Each structure stands twice: as structure tokens, then as C-alpha cells.
Amino acid sequence: MKPNLDVKIYADGAKISDMVSAYESGLVQGFTTNPSLMKQAGITDYMAFAKEALAKLPGLPISFEVFADDFEAMEQEAEKIAALGKDVYIKIPIINTKGESTAHLIKKLSAKGYNLNITAILTIPQVQETVDAFAPNTKNVVSVFAGRIADTGVDPIPTMKQAKEICVTKPGTELLWASCREVLNIIQANEVGAEIITCPPGVISKLGGLGQDLFQVSLDTVKTFSKDIKALGFTI
């Protein structure tokens, strides 16, 4: 059953079988990928993967990321990704490996009317320069890595709330809660007004437990312990 939430759940991954399962579940409304996920999935042909994904996941938005580190090559890759279809979003990191902002490239591509997903954002200044670079009347996603902010010991909620305030100043801009770690993050993303949250397969598989009675969870946990104890044949 689809959760009764305003935030849209996107599946994050690059394993076609997992993506198809998520698509068929009816729980997700889009997909995101990235180079690290492609490496984990053993992808060796980028464009073949992209075309297969689009063929098997029709009608939903999907983001494909540029691989290049220099701006000219990024732009060339972005053009090829844009040509894949109307449901495609070009995913561009907010900085390259030298720490140089991609804002000027974002502005150039947005002026062409491309759908953009700006990724690896962790600070409010990065959110601001991203939104400022978007052309009016274009569709864009601002991916803020809330999970990675939390990994540093910092509460991501204030950042996400500020990011939302900035995103609403440019119609067509959606805030995405990235690097989801647990089902609770979906509730948090919904509460801060994020339009999208990307979830790995492990989190999507736990959506059935959303809102479950905690006593029942306790009972099910003890039953699992009991089953495993019997299987092990332990005595003390």
C-alpha cells in the first residue's frame, strides 16, 4: 500500500532488477542513479544501461549523472543525456573535484530548458547558487544530502527547512532529501516540505512497517529471536 504522504519516493540505485521491482510495486514515483551506484551494480556500458532503464521504467522521471570533471566535457555529456528522452533529468554535482562551482554550467544548461538535478549539495550557499542559476519556467531538482549532513553529527532538519524556503522562490524547483538512511527520514522529509526523497531498496522494502504498532514490532522481534534460537539449538 502506498504511504499517505505528500513527499514523492524515488528509488535510488543502478541494479535494473531492483529498479523494475520498485517500479512494479507502485510505491515509487521516480528514479535516481549515480556513478558510485553504477560501480556497485557492475555497469560497464553507461548508455546501454540508461536506455535499458528507460525502456523498462516508462513514464517516470529518472536522473542520469554526468561523469566528467571538467566543464566542457560535462556539457557534452549533459547534451547526450538530455537526448535520451523527456523523462530524463541531467544530474550535475554542484562542484567538481577541485571544488569549483558548476553554477555557470547549470545556468547555461537551464537556459536551454533542460531538466536538471543538481547533486552533492550540503550547504545553504550551495542551495542558493543552484536555485539562482535555474532559468524561469524550467523543471529542476535540488538534491541536498541530508543523510551525509547527519553523518557529520549535525541535525539536517534546519538545513532542509532553509533549503525549502529557497527552492520555493523559483517555481518548478523541487527539493530532494538525498542519502536516506531509514524510514524515519521519509517522515522527516515530508514534514520539512521536501517534494522528493530518494530511498535505497532496503528502505523501500521496509515501507510496509510504516505506522505499525510498536508492541507488535516488539512481539515480532521476540518471535524472530525464538525461531533463530530453535534453529541454532543453543543451550546454556
Side-chain angles (χ1 to χ4, degrees):
M1 184 173 65
K2 186 177 292 187
N4 185 26
L5 301 168
D6 293 325
V7 65
K8 294 179 288 188
I9 297 173
Y10 281 23
D12 195 29
K15 188 175 179 182
I16 292 291
S17 58
D18 286 344
M19 297 169 81
V20 170
S21 294
Y23 181 85
E24 293 176 344
S25 74
L27 294 172
V28 304
Q29 294 167 274
F31 295 86
T32 56
T33 64
N34 66 48
S36 295
L37 292 171
M38 290 182 184
K39 179 183 178 184
Q40 293 172 16
I43 303 300
T44 57
D45 187 324
Y46 188 122
M47 296 305 284
F49 161 75
K51 290 176 182 178
E52 182 181 5
L54 287 167
K56 292 185 176 180
L57 312 167
L60 293 183
I62 182 167
S63 296
F64 295 112
E65 189 165 342
V66 297
F67 271 53
D69 197 51
D70 68 275
F71 302 122
E72 183 178 351
M74 275 189 192
E75 183 176 358
Q76 293 172 354
E77 291 177 353
E79 295 284 354
K80 292 179 181 178
I81 291 172
L84 288 170
K86 62 180 179 63
D87 295 321
V88 170
Y89 279 69
I90 307 164
K91 202 171 182 183
I92 300 173
I94 185 56
I95 54 176
N96 65 7
T97 61
K98 298 176 183 178
E100 299 167 332
S101 172
T102 59
H104 65 287
L105 177 60
I106 296 167
K107 185 174 183 179
K108 186 175 182 179
L109 294 171
S110 186
K112 296 183 178 182
Y114 294 149
N115 302 329
L116 303 179
N117 179 346
I118 310 307
T119 189
I121 296 174
L122 279 92
T123 72
I124 290 301
Q126 288 177 330
V127 174
Q128 188 68 64
E129 69 173 337
T130 296
V131 174
D132 287 345
F134 292 147
N137 304 313
T138 55
K139 295 193 297 182
N140 305 285
V141 172
V142 176
S143 293
V144 181
F145 279 53
R148 297 201 181 204
I149 294 173
D151 287 343
T152 70
V154 175
D155 181 0
I157 299 298
T159 297
M160 298 304 290
K161 287 181 177 178
Q162 287 182 311
K164 173 64 178 180
E165 291 174 358
I166 295 169
C167 287
V168 297
T169 65
K170 189 68 66 79
T173 300
E174 295 184 299
L175 174 63
L176 183 152
W177 179 300
S179 60
C180 169
R181 307 294 195 229
E182 54 194 357
V183 173
L184 174 61
N185 296 154
I186 299 175
I187 304 303
Q188 293 171 321
N190 192 65
E191 289 177 346
V192 301
E195 283 80 11
I196 305 167
I197 182 168
T198 52
C199 300
V203 172
I204 292 174
S205 69
K206 295 179 182 179
L207 286 175
L210 194 62
Q212 188 175 355
D213 177 76
L214 293 182
F215 180 83
Q216 185 62 48
V217 175
S218 177
L219 181 60
D220 291 343
T221 300
V222 174
K223 287 182 176 180
T224 298
F225 289 162
S226 178
K227 180 180 178 181
D228 290 340
I229 288 167
K230 290 177 182 176
L232 290 168
F234 278 168
T235 58
I236 296 176

